[in-house]
Amino acid sequence: MNDGPVNDGKAPKKQRMRFVSAEQVAQLAGVSRSAVSRSFTPGGSVAPATREKVLRAADELGYHVNDLARGVLANQSRLVGIVATRPEVGFRAHLAAALAKSLIRRGSIPILINTGQTEDELLAAQKILIGHRAEAIIILSGSPPASFLELAQRNGQPLVVIGRSEPDADHVRVGNSEASRKAATAFYDSGRRRLAVAGSNTGTPSILERETAFLATAESLGASVTVQRGGDSDYDGGVTAGRALFSGTIKPDAVFCANDQIAFGLMDVVRQEARLRIPEDVAVIGFDDVPESAWLSYQLTTFRQDPLTMEQRAVALMERRLENPGAPAGYERVIPELVIRQSFRP
């Protein structure tokens, strides 16, 4: 005899999630519903003995305050949107992680939106965040269109942009041009004359600024410069740029890479396909100082962007905007330092 459940051919009903309610806490604690609410409200007027009973009952039941409902009532949630293209790649991954940790420490709820760089994709991400009443947006990728800025301003939503200048938005910039000029000068002063830039076709403001500043400085010093770009600012892009640079008869003796991911791909091509030595035959400088730069396989000399410094500046600008919505746009500039390793020693 089968004592198991009888299958009548109907699909089992899906049970809805049933979160513990404030009413249940009130019943267990023997207090009013409003006393529960005041117990979880900072500065709420409630007797210490009542608060203790409420907290004990909440702990026993596993109750947590409905922050979403509170956000609806206040017309603002504690969500902070982090908008990025390919946030899992390179420096962006470390910056997104640092931002998330910092926002959680301040009591915010980070929400990561992986989006593209087109206007439609960015606006779609923004509408999601406005619909959920996010208290602010931090953009790591793509230049926000004017309509993005206007919509944020109309809704009083603080907007912080990292890695590019936006006159009407708070922004954090990296000293790309200063670092790139330093790289070109260091190569030249060490006797390198056949210089090259390995970039990408993504056309982001940071990549373009690094390429342009290095090229202008190298040419002003009298060095020859070749520019090659991969499809994206990643390892494969570095492989593509490296093969183009080292397939001819005249090869560069120093390469400035627009970021570390590009440098890794290029260095593997130099050693494994071109059969050249680094740094004896080819010196290489990268940009970002991601953890892999210190790996024994690369030992990459690179300019360090500190994700902790960047997130601190960005969150400070966000908090400033929340406290003073009418303040003029804030601007922070972080100058990266050159970290010397084995791929080039000035």
Side-chain angles (χ1 to χ4, degrees):
M1 181 176 179
N2 185 359
D3 293 329
V6 177
N7 186 346
D8 58 3
K10 295 180 180 180
K13 288 185 178 180
K14 196 175 194 179
Q15 291 188 341
R16 293 179 58 189
M17 288 186 295
R18 294 186 179 182
F19 293 102
V20 177
S21 68
E23 186 63 39
Q24 290 173 284
V25 175
Q27 290 175 0
L28 181 60
V31 300
S32 67
R33 168 67 178 77
S34 62
V36 175
S37 178
R38 293 195 303 274
S39 296
F40 285 97
T41 300
S45 177
V46 62
T50 300
R51 186 191 303 275
E52 184 179 347
K53 287 195 294 183
V54 168
L55 295 179
R56 190 185 309 118
D59 185 60
E60 182 178 336
L61 293 171
Y63 170 77
H64 290 274
V65 175
N66 188 340
D67 287 321
L68 183 59
R70 285 191 172 186
V72 171
L73 291 173
N75 203 31
Q76 183 184 78
S77 70
R78 291 189 296 159
L79 298 175
V80 174
I82 301 174
V83 180
T85 301
R86 299 185 69 192
E88 75 281 4
V89 175
F91 177 72
R92 282 195 300 274
H94 302 285
L95 179 55
L99 279 167
K101 290 180 181 178
S102 178
L103 291 169
I104 290 171
R105 282 196 301 269
R106 75 178 292 272
S108 298
I109 304 168
I111 175 171
L112 176 64
I113 296 185
N114 185 354
T115 185
Q117 299 188 48
T118 68
E119 180 172 347
D120 288 343
E121 289 168 321
L122 285 167
L123 285 174
Q126 183 185 32
K127 289 176 181 177
I128 291 172
L129 293 169
I130 287 178
H132 285 78
R133 299 299 188 262
E135 65 175 342
I137 300 176
I138 300 175
I139 297 183
L140 309 190
S141 307
S143 296
S147 55
F148 193 111
L149 300 173
E150 292 168 4
L151 187 57
Q153 290 169 352
R154 286 202 302 270
N155 285 275
Q157 191 175 51
L159 177 67
V160 179
V161 183
I162 298 180
R164 57 198 52 81
S165 293
E166 296 296 339
D168 297 322
D170 299 317
H171 56 276
V172 181
R173 289 293 305 275
V174 177
N176 294 305
S177 55
E178 293 92 332
S180 302
R181 288 194 291 267
K182 185 174 182 177
T185 302
F187 280 153
Y188 188 86
D189 289 347
S190 68
R192 313 276 176 163
R193 294 293 182 269
R194 302 187 309 277
L195 310 187
V197 178
S200 80
N201 289 318
T202 56
T204 64
S206 293
I207 295 293
L208 289 176
E209 187 177 358
R210 292 167 198 173
E211 289 183 8
T212 302
F214 183 89
L215 186 63
T217 303
E219 290 179 341
S220 70
L221 292 171
S224 64
V225 189
T226 304
V227 179
Q228 288 293 343
R229 301 181 180 92
D232 208 339
S233 306
D234 56 12
Y235 180 89
D236 289 339
V239 170
T240 299
R243 285 172 175 165
L245 286 171
F246 292 94
S247 60
T249 54
I250 300 178
K251 299 175 175 59
D253 58 10
V255 184
F256 175 56
C257 299
N259 70 17
D260 291 346
Q261 303 296 321
I262 292 173
F264 300 151
L266 178 134
M267 291 173 75
D268 284 344
V269 168
V270 169
R271 288 169 172 157
Q272 298 181 30
E273 296 184 5
R275 301 299 179 185
L276 296 173
R277 300 168 300 165
I278 298 175
E280 294 84 356
D281 302 318
V282 183
V284 181
I285 295 179
F287 204 111
D288 284 339
D289 194 31
V290 297
E292 296 88 343
S293 298
W295 287 6
L296 295 177
S297 297
Y298 295 112
Q299 283 292 296
L300 176 64
T301 294
T302 184
F303 288 95
R304 174 163 177 75
Q305 289 196 79
D306 184 0
L308 295 180
T309 299
M310 300 290 284
E311 63 85 358
Q312 288 168 4
R313 303 286 180 91
V315 172
L317 286 173
M318 181 192 77
E319 291 178 337
R320 169 180 171 270
R321 179 62 54 195
L322 287 168
E323 293 171 3
N324 187 1
Y331 171 55
E332 293 282 349
R333 190 170 182 86
V334 181
I335 307 300
E337 296 182 1
L338 185 63
V339 178
I340 306 297
R341 297 193 181 96
Q342 296 301 319
S343 70
F344 174 63
R345 303 189 70 83

